[in-house]
Amino acid sequence: MRLILTWLAGLGLLLPLVPMSLMTLGELLHLQLTGVLDDCFCDVESIDVFNNFKLYPRVRKLTERDYFRYYRVNLKRPCPFWPDDGHCSIKDCHVEPCPESKIPVGIKSGNYNKKTLCRKPGTKIIGGNTSHMFDHVRDKHPALYARVKYSQAANIIADMSDCEQAQELGAINSTLSNQSKEAFADWARHDDAQDHFCELDDETSPDAEYVDLLLNPERFTGYKGPSAWRVWNSIYEENCFKPRSVYRPLNPLAPSRGDDDGEGFYKWLEGLCLEKRVFYRLISGLHSSINIHLCAQYLLDEGWGRSVWGSNVREFRQRFDNAETKGEGTRRLKNLYFLYLIELRALYKVAPYFERAIVNLYTGNAQEDGDTKELLLQVFNEIKAFPMHFDEKSMFAGHKIEAKTLKEEFRLHFKNISRIMDCVGCSKCRLWGKLQIQGLGTALKILFSEKEIKNLAEHSPSKGFQLTRQEIVALMNAFGRLSTSIHQLHNFRQLLQEER
């Protein structure tokens, strides 16, 4: 046997054993970022092939369509948790709002507009632009519903011949007493809040503006320091399910732990119930995805009035190399894949909502809208063909009362994180943070609304489950960010191999 090994080594066919500490990041990614992920039955390699060759090209094209590129957001909401640090003065932190004249007319007159929309005879009500706020009150508050049901029609008029008819019908709403309207609004807000995992922006606020996401891409801005650290520390230390005595690895605020490499934290994490482990992995995966975007769109050169953006391998190594992160790097990246599976599953579950003929991704351009809907359905068909989806039924499956309490705690923790996004000092970071948190919150809402989605009517407005245009835009763009991260991770692997 020894002679055979010597002969193979002499031919260069036997690789020497290299200690993990001496391996390059590229080698570690090849050896360790592989295999089955924790808490599910999918492997990294299957996701890479599926995403990079099948889904990523279509999702990228979809998020460039008019319906998905314009996002309405309020970047001026004050931080609710600590005094405002002031906004970042770095020019790359700035967000350029979109002029009203550039917004497609169908989006401007969409679901935030409570006024009656005037349409030509024969036009159908359009999905994503319909107010369904009355539907879920019918069973819970029948007496109130009976008094206000006609005011619903004022917002979803189909086949009206002119604006006069619409205004006449809309006038019915004025017969309601102020007390009844206030009570109805309170009930509607309460019922809606039970479904939301995010603190939603008030899209009617004068501070809310449309942003063209293609003209304000997520990339490295230079935003860092105490302000940025406080945001992430608050998310991890105060909202993930952990006692204050258990510290995350590489937490600079934690007491010195000598040679502790963080294994104590992960042993503790594995002892948690599935739901609490999932929560941490979702946040860690989102953090990893954002870091990859910053490394892939890094300011490499600035001169002669032209900025050059591209991949920064050194920055990537600092954030993910096991030697730099005490073994954290590959764990963080696996959490990215886990988050990808969660949002992929949500898209799989919500496909029936969009497959209905009544749902039209309306911008006012009939050709554009039809092409966008067709492309979205192609994305759903690809997702349905993926064989290794995450099984969300394993979550909140214990004792009924305990499961309900845990689910509500899970929802409130995540909702609190959405509020922390208003504490981000960099406007561009705040924009993409709010969008991706809302997208993930929408995915969670979908995963836990399976019964309502199954009961959707084919040719009438949704009852029991609905998505606003903002939720739809956030959902697809958030998943687009994850899909892009995995695609960019493949690019970094190649760049690291070229460095060898």
Side-chain angles (χ1 to χ4, degrees):
M1 183 65 182
R2 183 178 299 175
L3 290 174
I4 294 175
L5 292 175
T6 302
W7 175 64
L8 290 173
L11 293 175
L13 300 176
L14 188 65
L15 294 176
L17 292 176
V18 181
M20 298 290 275
S21 59
L22 298 179
M23 289 185 180
T24 66
L25 177 56
E27 290 168 337
L28 282 171
L29 289 179
H30 178 72
L31 291 174
Q32 293 191 347
L33 190 59
T34 183
V36 177
L37 300 170
D38 293 333
D39 292 323
C40 57
F41 298 100
C42 187
D43 60 271
V44 168
E45 292 80 2
S46 296
I47 296 175
D48 281 337
V49 172
F50 172 72
N51 179 75
N52 296 339
F53 295 101
K54 293 186 176 182
L55 206 54
Y56 168 73
R58 285 192 169 95
V59 171
R60 180 179 179 180
K61 186 182 296 184
L62 182 66
T63 54
E64 292 173 350
R65 310 293 298 195
D66 281 355
Y67 186 89
F68 291 102
R69 69 184 287 182
Y70 297 107
Y71 181 63
R72 190 167 175 85
V73 62
N74 183 356
L75 298 176
K76 298 177 182 178
R77 287 177 59 170
C79 173
F81 299 110
W82 54 76
D84 197 343
D85 294 328
H87 287 281
C88 177
S89 60
I90 302 173
K91 68 180 182 67
D92 292 320
C93 288
H94 176 68
V95 170
E96 188 64 39
C98 194
E100 286 284 323
S101 60
K102 298 290 185 181
I103 306 297
V105 62
I107 293 178
K108 283 191 291 187
S109 62
N111 61 323
Y112 350 100
N113 191 344
K114 300 303 181 184
K115 298 179 182 178
T116 302
L117 299 178
C118 300
R119 285 174 281 112
K120 296 180 180 179
T123 57
K124 292 184 178 180
I125 205 70
I126 45 181
N129 294 325
T130 303
S131 172
H132 307 304
M133 60 184 296
F134 293 82
D135 292 341
H136 60 284
V137 178
R138 182 188 325 231
D139 297 328
K140 297 181 181 180
H141 316 293
L144 181 61
Y145 178 80
R147 299 171 63 185
V148 301
K149 61 181 178 180
Y150 293 108
S151 66
Q152 179 189 21
N155 282 332
I156 59 171
I157 299 168
D159 303 321
M160 295 295 290
S161 59
D162 52 39
C163 283
E164 286 73 20
Q165 288 177 290
Q167 290 166 352
E168 181 180 353
L169 183 55
I172 295 175
N173 188 54
S174 64
T175 64
L176 296 173
S177 69
N178 289 335
Q179 184 178 9
S180 294
K181 285 188 280 188
E182 289 174 6
F184 174 80
D186 286 341
W187 273 322
R189 281 194 295 268
H190 174 76
D191 292 339
D192 282 344
Q194 304 312 300
D195 299 326
H196 289 138
F197 283 74
C198 291
E199 184 81 19
L200 303 179
D201 280 350
D202 178 6
E203 297 168 31
T204 63
S205 167
D207 289 330
E209 297 178 297
Y210 288 99
V211 174
D212 186 338
L213 299 174
L214 298 184
L215 297 181
N216 294 274
E218 184 181 25
R219 59 192 181 191
F220 184 81
T221 64
Y223 175 61
K224 55 185 177 181
S227 176
W229 166 252
R230 180 158 55 173
V231 169
W232 281 113
N233 192 64
S234 179
I235 290 172
Y236 280 111
E237 299 299 331
E238 298 173 15
N239 291 280
C240 287
F241 294 87
K242 57 181 278 313
R244 291 183 178 272
S245 59
V246 178
Y247 297 101
R248 287 180 301 121
L250 305 180
N251 182 347
L253 299 185
S256 175
R257 294 166 304 182
D259 296 329
D260 183 8
D261 59 359
E263 286 303 316
F265 170 82
Y266 286 102
K267 289 179 181 176
W268 170 84
L269 183 67
E270 292 306 317
L272 291 178
C273 65
L274 171 66
E275 294 81 3
K276 294 181 178 181
R277 291 200 307 271
V278 165
F279 193 96
Y280 174 81
R281 288 184 174 130
L282 295 181
I283 300 305
S284 174
L286 178 59
H287 198 176
S288 298
S289 180
I290 291 171
N291 279 331
I292 291 175
H293 303 153
L294 305 187
C295 297
Q297 291 293 321
Y298 199 92
L299 183 57
L300 301 177
D301 187 38
E302 188 175 22
W304 303 99
R306 179 174 173 270
S307 299
V308 178
W309 301 86
S311 300
N312 187 323
V313 177
R314 178 182 298 178
E315 187 73 21
F316 181 84
R317 184 178 287 110
Q318 288 179 346
R319 296 173 188 259
F320 295 107
D321 192 330
N322 279 353
E324 298 279 350
T325 62
K326 294 186 177 180
E328 278 284 293
T330 49
R331 279 191 170 111
R332 294 172 180 174
L333 293 172
K334 283 191 172 184
N335 289 335
L336 160 65
Y337 282 85
F338 182 80
L339 173 58
Y340 178 92
L341 284 179
I342 293 290
E343 294 199 15
L344 185 73
R345 179 61 169 174
L347 292 175
Y348 174 88
K349 303 291 284 190
V350 82
Y353 178 89
F354 291 97
E355 289 169 344
R356 297 174 302 156
I358 194 175
V359 175
N360 177 24
L361 305 177
Y362 184 67
T363 67
N365 182 327
Q367 182 64 49
E368 166 88 9
D369 298 347
D371 293 344
T372 302
K373 177 72 178 285
E374 178 60 30
L375 184 55
L376 179 63
L377 296 182
Q378 290 176 16
V379 168
F380 285 134
N381 287 336
E382 290 288 357
I383 291 172
K384 288 178 180 179
F386 185 70
M388 290 178 281
H389 281 284
F390 177 79
D391 182 11
E392 75 284 354
K393 292 181 180 178
S394 58
M395 296 179 62
F396 308 110
H399 187 274
K400 189 172 183 179
I401 296 179
E402 293 178 357
K404 184 177 181 180
T405 301
L406 181 59
K407 181 179 177 180
E408 179 63 7
E409 191 177 4
F410 190 102
R411 187 184 70 84
L412 292 177
H413 277 231
F414 193 86
K415 193 170 186 177
N416 207 46
I417 290 175
S418 73
R419 300 177 69 205
I420 294 175
M421 292 299 101
D422 287 318
C423 300
V424 178
C426 164
S427 294
K428 188 167 289 182
C429 307
R430 181 183 292 206
L431 163 67
W432 285 100
K434 287 169 77 80
L435 181 143
Q436 290 175 85
I437 287 292
Q438 185 180 15
L440 176 53
T442 303
L444 294 172
K445 169 183 171 178
I446 292 167
L447 289 178
F448 302 125
S449 302
E450 180 179 19
K451 185 183 298 184
E452 291 81 1
I453 294 174
K454 282 184 176 179
N455 294 331
L456 289 173
E458 176 65 29
H459 299 292
S460 62
S462 307
K463 298 176 183 179
F465 178 83
Q466 60 170 319
L467 292 176
T468 66
R469 178 182 172 274
Q470 287 303 95
E471 288 176 308
I472 295 170
V473 171
L475 175 68
M476 293 310 305
N477 275 282
F479 181 75
R481 294 282 75 205
L482 299 178
S483 179
T484 300
S485 290
I486 290 177
H487 183 263
Q488 289 170 338
L489 188 55
H490 173 73
N491 294 338
F492 274 112
R493 277 194 182 104
Q494 292 181 321
L495 291 172
L496 288 163
Q497 289 176 353
E498 291 172 4
E499 277 193 346
R500 294 175 58 186

